[in-house]
Amino acid sequence: MKFASYNSYKIFMSEPPYLKDLNPEQKAAVIQTDGPIMIVAGAGSGKTRVLTYRIAHLIATGVDPFNILSLTFTNKAAREMRHRIEGVVGLEARNIWMGTFHSVFAKILRIEADKIGYPQNFTIYDSDDSKSLIKSIVKEMNLDDKVYKPNYILSRISNAKNNLIQAHVYQNQSELIAYDETTGRGKIHEIYTEYAKRCFRSGAMDFDDLLLNTFKLLNNFPDVLHKYQHKFKYVMVDEYQDTNHCQYMIIKKLASVFENICVVGDDAQSIYSFRGATIKNILNFEKDYPDLSVFKLEQNYRSTETIVNAANSVIAKNKDQIEKKVWTKNDAGNKIKIIRAVTDNEEGKMIAQNIFETKMSEQKMNSDFAILYRTNSQSRSLEEALRKLNIPYRIYGGMSFYQRKEIKDILAYLRLIINQADSEALKRIINYPARGIGKTSLDRINIIASNEEKSIWEVILVADKYPELKGASKKLKNFVEMINSFIKLTKQQNAYEIAMHVARTTNLLKILNEDKTIEGINKYENIVELLNGLKEFVEDDTNESEKDLGSYMQDIALLTDSDKENDDNDRVSLMTIHQSKGLEYSKVYVSGLEENLFPSQMALADRTQLEEERRLFYVAITRAEQNLTLTFATSRFRFGNLLPCEPSRFIDEIDNEFLEFSKRVITKPQSQKSSNTNFYRKKQEPSSLKRTISRQNNPKMLRPPATENFIHEHIHDITIHMKVEHQRFGFGEIKSLEPVENPEKATIIFDDFGEKTLVLKFAKLRRA
């Protein structure tokens, strides 16, 4: 292995202008074009710029962009890189094979699908489709759905596929079956086998199949392997530490002829083992390529010196890592604040109050702030606290636009038009809107399809030949005729025109337009927005996809969480630490720094898992540009009980010189002090302890703000149009009272939950 640097290269006087934007180590990584290369990119080290300029440099030095394969983990990252490359080399950048693993491999599979027995227009199942199919299989096998939960089963199947274990192989793996039996789920191998059969019969692939089937193509068809090995003479992989075994094997096969492979990543940010990613891929990269050149990007441009050094002091505790020392020329900045709260609710209040005060004193935007947490369940207390101070926020990882029911309904029609074998899409819309094809008929169709190993579509095409379907045969015939009429349009109209015709013909638009509730209006507007998106898709000249319906459906099926359109509104960002990877904020709060929460209780018995938790903490620290605040509670509600908590070991792993303990710390009464007190005294300076505030000795802290008076204690004060707040539904406006005199019920239109009718006696409303 060669550790390379810019000084080892002779740069001509007339170097390209884009190289002048790079530091010496970045330049070295950009201009070495041939051979195996690993770029170890520390947090905030300008990785995207290096990737962009490296591809631009390849094209500028004569490499045909059609021969470049660039793999990323989000479409958003690929679009951003392609746009930057265009700025350097022009429209030639559009000829690069660039995108996520799944989007690039889906493109290859559509070209080569017939070789593995799939139609070219195969459907891509999302997790909801997969879970629905698994649920059906579990029911048909008469298994306990409380034991064989779809989430768990899908996770086991996904893990198997990521390790190249197909269904027929799983059946012969005694260790896997023995493990399933110990968990009381000994039939998983049978479910996996049936799941694979049903997907194949439906002409459908789930996300993991896009990887597994690409490997099968390359492994079983030498001519296909030869074709793509010689097409992709230069292979670049971003976020290599996040690749799984299947991705690793595909990359290795594709790059084996020319070995012009460049992987970019940071072992210190490997945090996705639960998705099948393995850190060994980056740690052991040299074993595959002994002539490997390694470039280390160690200068951090994002964070203050204090934050960078604090992150270094934490990650240094890990044993499995590539040695590097991240540094920065940025100012030292403020120390990292540690805030201690008595409960998780108080933790939320202190964070919200801190954000409120910082906004006022420093004239900051809400979008400058982010609150990170280990698990989604922690957001509750944070949301409540932010709402009470009228601080707008956005939660990442919520329901995607394309996961909303009304959107999935119309997309199911479009999926069926493209692929009639798609049984999950067919089941979703065969009786929506209602057309008299009930559950009993559908169950009978399912049984026939299963017994005859046919798709549901094949059964309903000849429904009149089955006596048990006689009562529904006419309705099924009408349904088939409607879908066939849609199919004919695909040869004459573009994606937008077809979707509009479907929305009108099925009465989906009419039904939603007639629903004048808040929910109904929102659903109608969502359908309109989908149609607007289709219109934009077919009219976008810069869109490299075909304008047909199949291309559009593939594009949206392959969207990742990070590809959701950003909200331009000025809001505080709330998200798990996993979701924060790749993002950066001026001011970051990491909440819930407690043992058994962060690090997770499941990680404490295994060093490998504990090291991943530490890498997760490293990611959290390095999201911050200017200010970082870490918070923990000495008690937290879990399963309905208030349990004592101990501060996370990760706080103790930060060198003390980088920490500052908040003066607003609230201690527990003497009788309730637990083992965490010793920890806190050890980390605090004596002067900080003297300034610690006791809740018992500060009655002002116990007094609720005037805005928190309960309306239900003053019922006669309620009026129509009054602005109110509910603990669960948030802010809203009173629409009507029943009865008007001495009201007992109120109908309220809430900002986020629409119209609700509440009994005032129990509602516990507050004036907003």
Side-chain angles (χ1 to χ4, degrees):
M1 177 165 58
K2 299 171 292 205
F3 287 92
S5 69
Y6 176 64
N7 296 328
S8 62
Y9 295 93
K10 181 178 180 181
I11 302 298
F12 296 102
M13 293 297 290
S14 58
E15 69 176 16
Y18 54 82
L19 293 181
K20 295 176 182 177
D21 296 335
L22 306 174
N23 67 34
E25 206 65 25
Q26 291 173 331
K27 281 185 183 178
V30 166
I31 64 176
Q32 181 167 328
T33 56
D34 295 337
I37 295 168
M38 179 164 68
I39 302 174
V40 183
S45 61
K47 176 195 70 171
T48 303
R49 174 177 290 185
V50 171
L51 275 168
T52 300
Y53 286 177
R54 189 171 193 278
I55 295 174
H57 190 68
L58 283 170
I59 297 172
T61 52
V63 175
D64 189 333
F66 283 102
N67 295 141
I68 300 173
L69 171 64
S70 179
L71 297 169
T72 65
F73 271 82
T74 68
N75 293 303
K76 182 179 177 182
R79 285 195 299 269
E80 181 183 343
M81 285 175 58
R82 194 188 299 273
H83 180 71
R84 290 195 194 183
I85 296 167
E86 275 191 33
V88 179
V89 299
L91 296 181
E92 278 290 290
R94 297 186 181 182
N95 298 327
I96 304 165
W97 277 61
M98 177 182 287
T100 65
F101 283 88
H102 294 93
S103 64
V104 170
F105 294 167
K107 187 175 179 179
I108 292 173
L109 286 167
R110 293 209 184 272
I111 296 170
E112 315 290 349
D114 61 304
K115 293 182 175 61
I116 56 173
Y118 274 88
Q120 191 177 35
N121 59 350
F122 62 83
T123 297
I124 300 174
Y125 276 177
D126 63 17
S127 60
D128 285 347
D129 297 318
S130 295
K131 290 172 192 174
S132 174
L133 177 53
I134 289 170
K135 191 175 180 181
S136 297
I137 294 169
V138 168
K139 182 180 179 181
E140 291 170 23
M141 292 176 65
N142 293 317
L143 298 173
D144 187 346
D145 58 4
K146 293 183 177 62
V147 176
Y148 290 90
K149 295 180 179 179
N151 276 339
Y152 181 85
I153 305 301
L154 185 58
S155 175
R156 290 288 289 167
I157 292 173
S158 175
N159 189 55
K161 289 180 179 179
N162 288 337
N163 286 285
L164 302 178
I165 301 172
Q166 299 176 55
H168 69 275
V169 176
Y170 196 109
Q171 285 187 318
N172 299 315
Q173 293 282 325
S174 56
E175 288 185 12
L176 291 174
I177 293 175
Y179 175 82
D180 291 336
E181 287 175 348
T182 61
T183 64
R185 302 179 181 93
K187 298 288 187 181
I188 285 181
H189 66 285
E190 295 181 23
I191 298 172
Y192 184 9
T193 299
E194 187 61 25
Y195 174 79
K197 283 182 183 177
R198 299 274 184 97
C199 285
F200 185 75
R201 195 187 305 156
S202 296
M205 299 186 198
D206 63 23
F207 263 45
D208 297 307
D209 286 328
L210 296 176
L211 305 181
L212 180 61
N213 286 333
T214 301
F215 174 79
K216 286 164 65 176
L217 259 178
L218 301 178
N219 195 57
N220 299 342
F221 298 90
D223 57 324
V224 175
L225 176 61
H226 181 272
K227 173 183 175 180
Y228 290 101
Q229 282 175 332
H230 287 79
K231 180 177 183 60
F232 302 133
K233 295 178 181 178
Y234 291 85
V235 178
M236 292 186 63
V237 186
D238 190 14
E239 304 286 7
Y240 190 66
Q241 77 280 350
D242 293 334
T243 53
N244 59 39
H245 181 63
C246 185
Q247 291 165 324
Y248 160 78
M249 290 299 295
I250 294 170
I251 294 163
K252 188 177 178 183
K253 282 181 175 294
L254 288 175
S256 62
V257 172
F258 296 99
E259 291 198 347
N260 293 325
I261 179 170
C262 173
V263 301
V264 185
D266 182 6
D267 58 294
Q269 297 186 63
S270 177
I271 59 173
Y272 292 115
S273 66
F274 66 94
R275 292 183 186 169
T278 170
I279 193 173
K280 291 180 181 178
N281 289 349
I282 193 167
L283 295 179
N284 298 335
F285 193 64
E286 181 193 0
K287 293 181 180 179
D288 291 327
Y289 305 97
D291 295 331
L292 180 69
S293 294
V294 178
F295 299 88
K296 294 183 179 180
L297 309 183
E298 297 171 303
Q299 183 176 356
N300 180 295
Y301 293 92
R302 175 189 301 158
S303 307
T304 64
E305 187 179 34
T306 294
I307 292 171
V308 169
N309 290 338
N312 285 340
S313 69
V314 169
I315 203 64
K317 309 295 189 298
N318 273 8
K319 292 183 179 179
D320 293 333
Q321 62 176 302
I322 297 171
E323 185 181 346
K324 59 185 172 296
K325 181 70 174 179
V326 179
W327 58 278
T328 185
K329 289 182 179 179
N330 295 339
D331 294 338
N334 297 321
K335 289 189 175 184
I336 297 169
K337 285 188 178 180
I338 308 292
I339 293 180
R340 176 189 182 192
V342 175
T343 66
D344 48 345
N345 285 333
E346 185 171 76
E347 178 188 41
K349 290 176 183 177
M350 295 174 86
I351 291 174
Q353 187 65 35
N354 194 280
I355 290 174
F356 183 83
E357 292 174 356
T358 305
K359 276 177 57 184
M360 296 300 104
S361 62
E362 299 182 20
Q363 298 300 299
K364 291 290 183 182
M365 304 283 286
N366 291 310
S367 55
D368 291 324
F369 299 85
I371 308 175
L372 312 181
Y373 34 80
R374 181 65 181 83
T375 65
N376 279 307
S377 61
Q378 291 171 249
S379 72
R380 179 197 58 79
S381 59
L382 298 165
E383 289 184 71
E384 290 179 2
L386 292 169
R387 281 206 303 264
K388 286 174 183 174
L389 291 179
N390 291 324
I391 299 174
Y393 62 89
R394 177 191 178 193
I395 294 185
Y396 281 67
M399 181 182 286
S400 160
F401 176 80
Y402 295 101
Q403 294 300 315
R404 299 176 190 276
K405 180 188 179 301
E406 61 276 13
I407 299 300
K408 287 182 74 73
D409 288 337
I410 193 167
L411 291 180
Y413 276 100
L414 303 184
R415 280 169 49 179
L416 192 61
I417 293 169
I418 296 167
N419 174 17
Q420 293 80 59
D422 185 348
S423 294
E424 290 305 307
L426 192 153
K427 285 191 290 186
R428 186 178 187 97
I429 49 88
I430 193 170
N431 196 42
Y432 181 77
R435 50 180 63 91
I437 305 171
K439 184 177 181 300
T440 302
S441 296
L442 189 54
D443 286 344
R444 289 171 181 168
I445 295 168
N446 271 323
I447 292 170
I448 295 169
S450 181
N451 290 340
E452 299 187 6
E453 295 193 349
K454 293 180 177 178
S455 69
I456 294 177
W457 178 259
E458 289 173 311
V459 173
I460 66 174
L461 275 177
V462 289
D464 52 1
K465 89 170 199 177
Y466 299 103
E468 57 266 56
L469 299 179
K470 187 176 180 181
S473 62
K474 185 176 181 181
K475 294 165 185 172
L476 291 170
K477 183 180 179 182
N478 292 338
F479 176 76
V480 168
E481 288 176 352
M482 179 182 69
I483 298 300
N484 279 332
S485 71
F486 295 157
I487 294 169
K488 290 178 183 177
L489 290 178
T490 59
K491 298 175 183 177
Q492 308 161 13
Q493 298 183 342
N494 62 35
Y496 166 74
E497 292 166 337
I498 294 168
M500 178 62 80
H501 180 76
V502 169
R504 287 174 173 164
T505 305
T506 60
N507 287 328
L508 282 174
L509 271 178
K510 181 174 181 289
I511 291 169
L512 292 177
N513 193 35
E514 289 173 350
D515 183 353
K516 298 306 180 183
T517 65
I518 297 296
E519 291 89 342
I521 293 170
N522 287 338
K523 288 179 179 181
Y524 177 79
E525 289 175 348
N526 286 338
I527 294 290
V528 172
E529 182 59 30
L530 177 74
L531 294 169
N532 290 341
L534 270 156
K535 184 76 169 175
E536 185 178 348
F537 172 81
V538 299
E539 293 181 353
D540 185 1
D541 292 334
T542 65
N543 192 331
E544 297 156 26
S545 302
E546 298 293 329
K547 305 303 181 186
D548 63 289
L549 189 59
S551 298
Y552 173 77
M553 295 302 291
Q554 176 175 306
D555 278 4
I556 63 170
L558 293 170
L559 286 175
T560 66
D561 287 344
S562 301
D563 297 318
K564 296 170 191 174
E565 291 298 321
N566 287 328
D567 189 338
D568 291 333
N569 292 338
D570 182 32
R571 298 172 182 270
V572 174
S573 296
L574 273 68
M575 70 192 83
T576 65
I577 302 167
H578 283 99
Q579 290 161 337
S580 74
K581 190 164 174 289
L583 303 176
E584 54 191 48
Y585 296 89
S586 175
K587 300 179 185 300
V588 171
Y589 298 80
V590 185
S591 64
L593 264 296
E594 298 140 31
E595 288 291 296
N596 299 321
L597 180 57
F598 194 19
S600 165
Q601 186 175 12
M602 294 184 290
L604 298 181
D606 182 88
R607 184 174 68 85
T608 300
Q609 292 184 42
L610 181 60
E611 290 203 351
E612 176 150 331
E613 288 287 296
R614 188 175 288 114
R615 292 195 294 270
L616 188 61
F617 185 47
Y618 176 85
V619 168
I621 293 173
T622 54
R623 297 313 92 199
E625 297 172 340
Q626 299 295 326
N627 295 93
L628 176 64
T629 302
L630 309 177
T631 70
F632 68 93
T634 57
S635 60
R636 185 173 293 272
F637 274 100
R638 291 184 185 174
F639 309 108
N641 297 314
L642 188 63
L643 302 176
C645 300
E646 189 177 331
S648 171
R649 67 189 68 193
F650 293 153
I651 300 177
D652 201 27
E653 290 179 355
I654 301 175
D655 289 351
N656 202 55
E657 62 181 295
F658 306 125
L659 301 179
E660 172 190 320
F661 284 78
S662 173
K663 301 173 183 178
R664 300 182 59 212
V665 168
I666 301 174
T667 63
K668 297 173 76 174
Q670 186 69 30
S671 60
Q672 297 180 20
K673 285 184 179 177
S674 62
S675 59
N676 56 44
T677 306
N678 293 331
F679 162 90
Y680 200 61
R681 283 178 178 162
K682 178 175 69 174
K683 297 292 286 187
Q684 273 190 315
E685 296 176 3
S687 58
S688 298
L689 278 172
K690 293 177 183 178
R691 291 193 293 262
T692 298
I693 304 170
S694 168
R695 178 181 284 274
Q696 288 184 323
N697 296 328
N698 192 348
K700 289 183 180 179
M701 297 189 68
L702 293 171
R703 193 178 303 139
T707 57
E708 292 192 2
N709 291 331
F710 289 117
I711 289 181
H712 78 270
E713 294 177 353
H714 308 281
I715 291 177
H716 60 276
D717 290 339
I718 282 189
T719 59
I720 294 174
H721 302 308
M722 178 181 282
K723 306 287 187 182
V724 295
E725 181 189 10
H726 184 271
Q727 187 173 7
R728 178 181 173 191
F729 302 127
F731 293 101
E733 180 179 324
I734 293 178
K735 176 183 176 183
S736 62
L737 297 169
E738 183 186 338
V740 177
E741 299 296 329
N742 299 318
E744 296 179 358
K745 294 182 180 180
T747 299
I748 305 168
I749 299 178
F750 289 100
D751 296 346
D752 297 325
F753 289 87
E755 187 175 297
K756 304 286 181 185
T757 300
L758 304 177
V759 178
L760 294 171
K761 182 177 180 181
F762 304 108
K764 295 186 178 179
L765 296 171
R766 306 169 193 251
R767 289 189 183 87

